[in-house]
Amino acid sequence: MNSRSAKSEQKRKQGKGKGKYWLRRIMVVFLVLLIGVAGYLTYIYKVSKDALGDITTDADPTIVIPKDQSVKVKPVTIMLLGVDTRKETGSLNTDVMMVATFNPQSKSAVVVSIPRDSMIELSGYRVRKANAYYSKFLSNALHEDGLKKPKAEKQAKQDMRTMFSKYFNIPIDYTATINFQGFVDVVDALGGVDVDVDMDMHYVDNADGTNIDLKKGEQTLKGDDALDFVRYRKSNDGTNMSSDFDRNKRESQVLGEIADKLKSFSSVTKIAGVIKAVGNNMRMDIPTGEVQNMISTYFGISRSNITFIPLEGVWKSPYVRLNEAKLEEAKSALQSKLAE
């Protein structure tokens, strides 16, 4: 072999060696990625399992839902209560109240928001503001029925379902409660929400630690600011007033944004944080298996498939007198979603 051929053969071997070297590197990187994904999925599974155990502590473990009655095949209605459990307020009023019906055939939902100060007139119940019933039912269960706190809370939620089932003339199957911190943690886990703040919002209350300071306009809000955006009522000087109806519209805006973020591919890596946030702060009386069925059925539902209906009315101190036409529209929408 002459010197030129020898050099050519040497270069060929060197090139082949480099090719094998880069192939090995690519294979190592790919293997690391596979291990990382497998590890992440394992972590997601563990987090999900732990979170579901926490979330469903209110559920009766003896109840088995037949397959033909599962949320995978039948519509389901849930009452969502946002409870202010902050130590500074000492309140258990439900400042966020929603009734949501989900239909698995159309993969869609109707969500009705109830203003906290709504006057509820219903046969068999004393007239109160909507947000006062849960704490009253809980107090009755604790002091009149003598139940321990966990059982008293379950009873209060059952009483809420019974009452609002009658009010909306639909069966409400389950109740879910989430505290303010859960809302904050979910928004933070998703990296914030993009909203259009409808007015300048400035309000300070040293008694409960409230310090709202938001500027009007489109922006991305982190958890604490998103909560301030939803809760804002008025400024300290009484200007820039915000009604229950404004807050319900903001709730719908933020919930729609959360739904869209959850379905986006960019949120996949954040889902563990969302699951942990929910698990730490939400309690449901839905059996664990049914929660899993709901996740598999409705995960990825978009804002366009959710109809938000904020109830409206007129403020006549100390109540909001609901608009009857809007209330009937909400009842009809919920009933129609159940019948699809």
Side-chain angles (χ1 to χ4, degrees):
M1 182 182 293
N2 58 37
S3 60
R4 182 176 295 178
S5 297
K7 287 180 180 180
S8 178
E9 179 66 15
Q10 185 177 4
K11 286 182 179 179
R12 187 184 69 80
K13 288 181 177 180
Q14 287 176 344
K16 189 175 181 180
K18 286 182 179 178
K20 287 181 179 180
Y21 169 73
W22 283 107
L23 180 61
R24 283 196 299 270
R25 288 195 66 178
I26 292 170
M27 289 179 67
V28 168
V29 170
F30 184 65
L31 183 60
V32 169
L33 285 173
L34 280 179
I35 293 171
V37 169
Y40 182 71
L41 291 177
T42 301
Y43 172 65
I44 286 284
Y45 174 78
K46 182 181 184 305
V47 168
S48 300
K49 189 175 180 181
D50 291 344
L52 284 176
D54 291 335
I55 291 169
T56 58
T57 51
D58 285 351
D60 185 341
T62 65
I63 293 178
V64 178
I65 306 297
K67 287 185 178 180
D68 63 348
Q69 299 297 308
S70 170
V71 296
K72 293 177 71 173
V73 295
K74 285 192 66 176
V76 62
T77 300
I78 299 173
M79 184 158 205
L80 177 63
L81 306 174
V83 183
D84 185 356
T85 58
R86 293 172 299 165
K87 293 178 181 178
E88 295 88 348
T89 64
S91 168
L92 281 175
N93 284 347
T94 48
D95 286 339
V96 175
M97 304 179 66
M98 296 180 173
V99 174
T101 294
F102 297 83
N103 189 292
Q105 306 308 318
S106 58
K107 298 289 192 297
S108 60
V110 169
V111 180
V112 176
S113 298
I114 306 166
R116 50 173 280 168
D117 292 331
S118 301
M119 183 175 72
I120 304 297
E121 294 181 286
L122 189 63
S123 176
Y125 295 88
R126 181 178 171 182
V127 174
R128 301 180 191 277
K129 291 183 178 182
N131 75 329
Y133 284 99
Y134 177 74
S135 59
K136 182 59 179 177
F137 289 146
L138 180 58
S139 177
N140 289 346
L142 286 168
H143 304 300
E144 294 182 15
D145 300 335
L147 299 179
K148 299 294 185 182
K149 189 175 181 181
K151 289 187 177 180
E153 289 175 343
K154 291 181 184 180
Q155 183 61 51
K157 293 169 189 176
Q158 182 176 320
D159 290 341
M160 290 290 285
R161 284 202 310 277
T162 300
M163 176 183 165
F164 281 95
S165 289
K166 187 175 180 181
Y167 188 71
F168 285 104
N169 197 26
I170 57 169
I172 298 178
D173 305 285
Y174 302 110
T175 312
T177 56
I178 188 167
N179 59 39
F180 282 179
Q181 192 57 47
F183 178 90
V184 170
D185 290 349
V186 166
V187 171
D188 281 339
L190 289 170
V193 288
D194 299 324
V195 300
D196 186 5
V197 178
D198 49 306
M199 65 178 76
D200 287 343
M201 300 178 179
H202 303 286
Y203 181 76
V204 176
D205 185 345
N206 294 323
D208 65 4
T210 300
N211 187 359
I212 300 174
D213 186 17
L214 298 174
K215 293 290 186 182
K216 181 179 179 179
E218 296 182 1
Q219 54 201 284
T220 300
L221 299 181
K222 297 298 184 182
D224 285 323
D225 286 337
L227 179 61
D228 288 344
F229 172 63
V230 169
R231 291 179 57 228
Y232 177 77
R233 297 174 70 87
K234 63 179 181 179
S235 64
N236 292 97
D237 61 8
T239 61
N240 283 13
M241 302 293 287
S242 180
S243 68
D244 266 354
F245 318 120
D246 296 327
R247 289 191 293 278
N248 283 350
K249 289 176 183 176
R250 293 191 204 114
E251 287 168 11
S252 299
Q253 185 180 348
V254 172
L255 287 176
E257 183 67 15
I258 288 174
D260 282 351
K261 282 222 166 190
L262 281 172
K263 66 170 284 189
S264 69
F265 181 77
S266 63
S267 294
V268 171
T269 56
K270 300 172 183 175
I271 196 65
V274 174
I275 293 170
K276 288 181 71 174
V278 173
N280 288 338
N281 298 285
M282 176 177 274
R283 296 295 175 265
M284 308 173 79
D285 49 23
I286 308 176
T288 302
E290 286 295 85
V291 177
Q292 292 171 323
N293 287 335
M294 281 206 72
I295 293 172
S296 64
T297 302
Y298 296 103
F299 184 79
I301 188 173
S302 65
R303 186 188 314 210
S304 61
N305 291 322
I306 305 174
T307 301
F308 292 102
I309 304 178
L311 294 181
E312 299 172 357
V314 177
W315 171 256
K316 292 183 180 179
S317 183
Y319 300 107
V320 167
R321 310 294 177 100
L322 292 175
N323 180 290
E324 286 296 326
K326 194 70 175 180
L327 179 58
E328 289 304 314
E329 176 193 336
K331 290 179 180 180
S332 178
L334 291 168
Q335 292 162 4
S336 297
K337 189 58 62 177
L338 287 173
E340 284 182 358

